[in-house]
Amino acid sequence: MLKYANHDIVFQEFPDEVTLAVNLSCCPNGCPGCHSAWLQGDVGEVLTEERLWALAESYRGEVTCVALMGGDNDPETVMHLLRSVRQRSGDALRTGWYSGRAALPACFDPTCTDYVKTGPYRADLGPLSQRTTNQRLYRISRQDHSLTDITHRFWR
């Protein structure tokens, strides 16, 4: 089960996208120095397919992407929800997932999402904007579902 604590419109998480970012709680990763440590707690409301779609619809024409930020406690539901957004939008909306895990789970389905970020936050290596980061952001091809590392798009 996924719970969401809040949502916001963001411009930096995915290059060239205006994103509805839905922050999920119950994060199991416990990264030292996490900027959103409060999301490790069991807070917020259950995120259902209907609720996620209602959020996406409320920003119709304003966002180009819907992203789940977290969800490592239930990646199967993450895949289900992202698949639902793609189907309901007729592929008009792109989707993304920010995972804090070093590797994608066995249930990861590249047909559900256009972007995926992997890697726990490590203060000594820095965030995506640092060349030393261990985190990676991938763009997923809708044609062959291959992953292309686009992390360099964050570097200054």
Side-chain angles (χ1 to χ4, degrees):
M1 172 176 56
L2 295 178
K3 286 188 170 182
Y4 78 102
N6 60 15
H7 66 278
D8 202 358
I9 304 301
V10 297
F11 303 95
Q12 294 184 1
E13 276 67 13
F14 301 101
D16 307 320
E17 304 289 354
V18 177
T19 302
L20 169 62
V22 180
N23 291 312
L24 303 175
S25 64
C26 301
C27 180
N29 298 327
C31 302
C34 175
H35 64 77
S36 300
W38 64 278
L39 289 174
Q40 295 171 19
D42 186 355
V43 298
E45 301 176 36
V46 173
L47 184 61
T48 64
E49 187 177 325
E50 293 73 27
R51 181 64 185 135
L52 181 58
W53 184 245
L55 286 170
E57 280 288 287
S58 70
Y59 293 100
R60 179 187 288 251
E62 297 176 44
V63 299
T64 60
C65 183
V66 174
L68 299 180
M69 312 303 275
D72 290 313
N73 64 312
D74 189 354
E76 292 89 0
T77 300
V78 168
M79 294 297 102
H80 172 77
L81 291 173
L82 294 176
R83 182 179 302 108
S84 172
V85 168
R86 285 196 92 180
Q87 289 171 343
R88 287 185 180 205
S89 76
D91 286 335
L93 289 172
R94 284 172 287 287
T95 58
W97 181 33
Y98 259 48
S99 168
R101 300 284 181 165
L104 292 169
C107 68
F108 179 75
D109 181 356
T111 68
C112 296
T113 189
D114 297 282
Y115 302 96
V116 64
K117 188 221 48 115
T118 60
Y121 174 71
R122 290 194 40 203
D124 61 321
L125 298 176
L128 280 172
S129 61
Q130 301 294 316
R131 292 179 184 270
T132 56
T133 188
N134 63 299
Q135 298 177 319
R136 290 290 175 260
L137 180 69
Y138 299 95
R139 169 90 177 167
I140 302 170
S141 166
R142 286 196 176 188
Q143 286 71 42
D144 65 8
H145 312 297
S146 61
L147 279 68
T148 301
D149 188 336
I150 61 169
T151 310
H152 68 276
R153 301 256 337 250
F154 290 95
W155 298 341
R156 298 181 191 117

